[in-house]
Amino acid sequence: MGTPEKNESKGGFFAAMTSGISKLSNAMHRSVNGFLGYEGVEVINPEGGKEDAEEEAQRGRWKQEDRENYWKVMHKYIGSDVTSMVTLPVIIFEPMTMIQKMAELMEYSHLLNLADESEDPYMRLVYASSWAISVYYAYQRTWKPFNPILGETYELTNHNGISFLSEQVSHHPPMSAGHAENEHFCYDVTSKLKTKFLGNSLDVYPVGRTRVTLKRDGVVLDLVPPPTKVNNLIFGRTWVDSPGEMIMTNLATGDKVVLYFQPCGWFGAGRYEVDGYVYNSAEEPKILMTGKWNESMSYQPCDMEGEPLPNTELKEVWHVAKTPENDKYQYTHFAHKINSFDTAPKKLLASDSRLRPDRYALEKGDLSKAGSEKSSLEEKQRAEKRTREAKGQSYTPRWFDLTEEVTSTPWGDLEIYQYNGLYTKHRAEIDSSGSSSNDEVDAKSIEFNPWQYGKLSSTD
């Protein structure tokens, strides 16, 4: 795509958008995509309706009686945080857990490799922020992932040289921690999602801290994502939107990228669109970014007013990979790999999400067994807690340590868990032993045990 034509009005379109970073949110409503002339139109009724519900049923998600029964269960929770509810029906679930879903950020991790290799501090932010945006294509799925059991883990290998580990570190409140690493970067996250059920919609607040360390120069990038809203949860066509700002900051220099996710309007106006700029520490725009979070992101150098520089062109930095057709859960090829034992390391931990009997039954299409296994696991978790409390013991996660650090987020304070390095030693010992790789047959013989690796200590 060539350079956009310059707006003849005083200051131009991009200048209006850079009158100050504090005004960016309002200015971004004047879409860069619209200016460049490639925004699409999709007919969506934000309020939903009977016709949308019938189409959802044809797609295999809901039947009308399911919706009515679900509403009878859920209406009493309006206004509540339903993050850790255990009474939800299996019919709304996908065969994946929340800590597996964390690993979907790794699909386009080559962008972080490029960020590490780049000598341009602003292009580092272009690559890294595009990586952060890339996962939203997967996050638009409307199926609910399983809540992890305390001590549950997920391991991922055989992808871009990455070793990935996530662990459910707390049950009340539900909190997860994750760590990923290859030769170019380290990724660390502490997540404590909060939700608010609003009847036919669900607000999801990403209370958490996400940091990426680029190894070559030790650059640390901090990410603050926008909130997410699941619309028409029960009645109408279910769809996901994430309106608001995403901010990624270089903690050493103060350079940052601010990207605005456009809210969806009637007939899909603005849906998927992302616009913004990379700024230096003086809050001067250096690179404009634009695209759609379900398609691609592009960038172009700009002047102090945010206008594209002469003799430059818009260049694509990321494009969504080809996806399976007519997939029941709208999974990407990478999502299927996450559930596969092909991406599991040697001697998979017995606490791994792949081994959950409810998740596995749902993956095989047995909803009845998935429901009973889910209830059984939840009861075992309650029993384990009762036994632990009766003995005056507290649970400590195995692979992440609770620090004394408490950080503020736009949605509340967050206690920080830190990767303790024990998993790296654990894997090194296994790899040196010459053990064979996992396959699905071998894995079936491993009983799911999320409490096997945690540490118990007296609360006295």
Side-chain angles (χ1 to χ4, degrees), residues 146-189:
F146 286 92
N147 290 336
I149 303 295
L150 180 64
E152 184 175 334
T153 59
Y154 177 72
E155 305 172 81
L156 176 73
T157 58
N158 304 324
H159 176 70
N160 201 18
I162 291 170
S163 173
F164 175 93
L165 173 72
S166 53
E167 181 178 13
Q168 188 72 0
V169 294
S170 172
H171 182 56
H172 287 297
M175 294 182 66
S176 308
H179 175 81
E181 188 169 356
N182 70 3
E183 62 178 330
H184 289 286
F185 68 87
C186 288
Y187 159 83
D188 292 282
V189 62

Side-chain angles (χ1 to χ4, degrees), residues 39-49 51-53 55-56 59 232 236-239 264-272 292 294:
E39 59 185 342
V41 176
E42 179 180 357
V43 178
I44 288 182
N45 177 356
E47 304 302 324
E51 295 80 7
D52 291 322
E55 182 170 336
E56 284 280 271
R59 291 166 59 191
N232 302 339
R237 183 189 302 176
T238 308
W239 56 281
C264 178
W266 279 89
F267 303 107
R271 193 181 186 198
Y272 308 120
K292 294 186 176 183
N294 70 327

Side-chain angles (χ1 to χ4, degrees), residues 203-347:
D203 287 346
V204 182
Y205 306 104
V207 181
R209 189 180 77 176
T210 300
R211 288 191 175 170
V212 175
T213 302
L214 304 179
K215 289 187 173 181
R216 192 185 70 167
D217 295 330
V219 171
V220 179
L221 305 176
D222 181 81
L223 174 68
V224 180
T228 294
K229 191 179 189 70
V230 184
N231 301 275
N232 302 339
L233 188 63
I234 301 175
F235 302 106
R237 183 189 302 176
T238 308
W239 56 281
V240 177
D241 203 18
S242 297
E245 287 182 345
M246 171 185 285
I247 302 175
M248 178 176 277
T249 306
N250 182 326
L251 296 181
T253 65
D255 300 335
K256 66 175 65 177
V257 55
V258 182
L259 299 172
Y260 186 74
F261 286 54
Q262 300 284 351
C264 178
W266 279 89
F267 303 107
R271 193 181 186 198
Y272 308 120
E273 294 181 11
V274 181
D275 312 302
Y277 290 93
V278 176
Y279 296 87
N280 64 14
S281 58
E283 298 186 356
E284 299 167 334
K286 291 295 182 180
I287 300 177
L288 68 89
M289 294 184 67
T290 184
K292 294 186 176 183
W293 53 257
N294 70 327
E295 290 182 5
S296 64
M297 287 298 296
S298 299
Y299 70 95
Q300 188 169 1
C302 64
D303 60 23
M304 293 282 289
E305 293 185 334
E307 296 283 358
L309 288 177
N311 303 316
T312 66
E313 62 180 8
L314 200 67
K315 294 183 178 180
E316 187 175 82
V317 65
W318 163 77
H319 195 281
V320 68
K322 186 177 180 180
T323 58
E325 294 183 5
N326 302 317
D327 190 274
K328 178 176 181 180
Y329 295 105
Q330 294 88 51
Y331 274 9
T332 63
H333 289 293
F334 186 69
H336 283 290
K337 288 182 179 180
I338 285 176
N339 272 337
S340 169
F341 290 93
D342 293 339
T343 55
K346 300 175 183 177
K347 288 191 176 181

